[in-house]
Amino acid sequence: MRTRFVSFLAVFVLALAAFPSFGQTTSSDPQSTPASTPASTPAADTKPPEPQPLPMPSMSGPLQTAVPREMEGGKLAVTGILSGIGWTEGNHVTGDSSSHWDVSNAQVFVQKTTGWWQFYLQGGAYNLPAIGVPFLSTADTVKNIYGPFPQGYLKLVKGNFNVEIGALPTLIGAEYTFSFENMNIERGLLWGQENAVNRGIQLNWTHKKITTAFSWNDGFYSNRYTWLTGSLAYAFNSANSLTFVAGGNAGAYAKSTLATPLALNNSSIYNLIYSYIKGPWVIQPYFQYTDVPTNASIGITQGASTKGGALLATYSFKHGFSLAARPEYIKSTGSVQSGAVNLLYGPGSGAFSFTITPTYRKDAFFMRGDLAIVHATDSTPGAVFGPAGANTTQPRGVLEAGFMF
């Protein structure tokens, strides 16, 4: 399958490169300026345009990417992040400890954002902290999950249509993969059911208030290209939008690793996400449903599903201060007696959480902290928190500080 996919991509890229219209300048190209339009003021009096945020990495705030460093005569833009993390928690599991510190991000982002062909490359070290799960060191995260180049792709653009090929950020969910991209340092309970990086091909198209995307990919980093995902977003106005996302595995695969959980890689998932962004407020409530079907041939003797909801909200004060909050609830189906697959803290379990994150940002520097608590319901003894896995509640405090450069 992988050989066929690579061959398909090679033919696809060559065909697009040979298609002349992809090399034509369009009105959407920021470098395109009508020759007949006179300058309204002398060049010496023209105010330089304000630096615009780069399209990648995606940011939900309150952090922002730095003004990019330009290379190759402005054709390439380079940004990056260096940050550290420390945390302490109660009811840690056996084999873990109550406190940790590590590098959370040491990454560089290189991208070309103009012309008919563009690209994005992200490389370095990263940590993927999430509430309700044990700490994994940054070295082990890089080694066992997405490697030192977690995301990177080629982008072919024509007007309001583009094609992306490579290791892409997922369309699923309302939270991004890396800590600095999100309102909170740690990812939430719903994020734990979602994939994060997809290797494959994605088609994107916008028309007036509608934005669509469709992807053929390897799901939970399985290297088996049987996942299909898509999204449809409608912008009511500049402040309000609604997005529907759906994805799932059209095949079945018995692979089970840290990056490719067996049950989740063979699931289907659906999101309904509302976004309100205006002034100091960013508010995103979303609903999520997942389903893992029964498939004894790959070791899932009894399937299960989850339903959950979350509210992501940030308010930005003056002088670089902001406050984010995230309440969540999720519930799974099944039972121990029925032999259902475990998707949370035992078959049929549920959980709710609350995370609050104050942030201070000044120029390139930022510092922020998570105060989070997770409480499991209908859990299976041995599958929750504490040395014996019997405690149903886990509090945690996390501090992250660093520089966006």
Side-chain angles (χ1 to χ4, degrees), residues 139-161:
D140 287 338
T141 299
V142 174
K143 177 182 178 181
N144 295 297
I145 302 189
Y146 305 126
F149 296 98
Q151 292 184 359
Y153 54 85
L154 172 68
K155 184 175 181 179
L156 306 173
V157 182
K158 178 167 171 47
N160 58 355
F161 174 78

Side-chain angles (χ1 to χ4, degrees), residues 25-349:
T25 303
T26 68
S27 59
S28 63
D29 190 333
Q31 295 182 337
S32 175
T33 304
S36 60
T37 303
S40 58
T41 59
D45 297 332
T46 301
K47 183 180 178 181
E50 293 293 330
Q52 297 297 311
L54 294 173
M56 289 294 291
S58 299
M59 306 284 284
S60 64
L63 302 184
Q64 297 178 3
T65 56
V67 176
R69 287 166 171 78
E70 296 184 345
M71 302 173 62
E72 298 295 324
K75 294 181 180 180
L76 299 183
V78 181
T79 54
I81 180 173
L82 177 63
S83 62
I85 190 173
W87 82 25
T88 182
E89 66 184 15
N91 295 329
H92 58 87
V93 300
T94 300
D96 197 9
S97 63
S98 61
S99 61
H100 299 276
W101 64 272
D102 209 332
V103 173
S104 57
N105 292 283
Q107 300 193 70
V108 174
F109 320 110
V110 182
Q111 53 196 305
K112 179 180 182 291
T113 60
T114 59
W116 71 271
W117 72 275
Q118 304 173 17
F119 74 86
Y120 174 74
L121 182 62
Q122 177 176 339
Y126 51 90
N127 198 289
L128 305 177
I131 62 173
V133 297
F135 179 83
L136 183 66
S137 72
T138 296
D140 287 338
T141 299
V142 174
K143 177 182 178 181
N144 295 297
I145 302 189
Y146 305 126
F149 296 98
Q151 292 184 359
Y153 54 85
L154 172 68
K155 184 175 181 179
L156 306 173
V157 182
K158 178 167 171 47
N160 58 355
F161 174 78
N162 66 76
V163 181
E164 298 172 334
I165 306 169
L168 307 165
T170 183
L171 296 173
I172 302 292
E175 292 188 285
Y176 299 114
T177 301
F178 302 96
S179 63
F180 63 90
E181 296 180 285
N182 296 284
M183 303 178 189
N184 309 102
I185 302 171
E186 305 165 275
R187 303 295 73 69
L189 295 173
L190 273 63
W191 185 85
Q193 305 294 314
E194 303 163 3
N195 55 31
V197 176
N198 304 149
R199 291 174 292 191
I201 183 170
Q202 182 172 310
L203 312 179
N204 306 290
W205 178 70
T206 59
H207 178 68
K208 296 182 179 179
K209 295 185 176 184
I210 297 175
T211 301
T212 62
F214 178 77
S215 176
W216 172 37
N217 58 73
D218 69 344
F220 284 79
Y221 219 68
S222 66
N223 206 29
R224 184 74 66 90
Y225 296 90
T226 55
W227 266 73
L228 300 173
T229 58
S231 69
L232 173 64
Y234 182 82
F236 299 97
N237 50 47
S238 60
N240 298 272
S241 64
L242 185 66
T243 304
F244 175 71
V245 187
N249 195 340
Y253 193 21
K255 183 177 181 179
S256 181
T257 67
L258 192 61
T260 312
L262 173 64
L264 299 182
N265 188 52
N266 289 280
S267 69
S268 57
I269 185 166
Y270 306 89
N271 295 135
L272 188 62
I273 306 169
Y274 170 76
S275 297
Y276 174 81
I277 304 173
K278 187 173 184 180
W281 283 104
V282 178
I283 301 174
Q284 280 189 313
Y286 81 107
F287 171 78
Q288 179 168 286
Y289 173 77
T290 71
D291 180 65
V292 179
T294 300
N295 191 337
S297 65
I298 58 172
I300 303 175
T301 56
Q302 180 61 51
S305 63
T306 69
K307 293 179 181 178
L311 173 63
L312 314 176
T314 297
Y315 184 85
S316 296
F317 301 93
K318 296 180 180 179
H319 309 298
F321 290 95
S322 62
L323 185 65
R326 181 188 59 205
E328 296 180 283
Y329 179 75
I330 187 170
K331 184 71 169 68
S332 64
T333 63
S335 65
V336 175
Q337 293 75 20
S338 67
V341 64
N342 177 21
L343 299 178
L344 286 169
Y345 300 109
S349 62

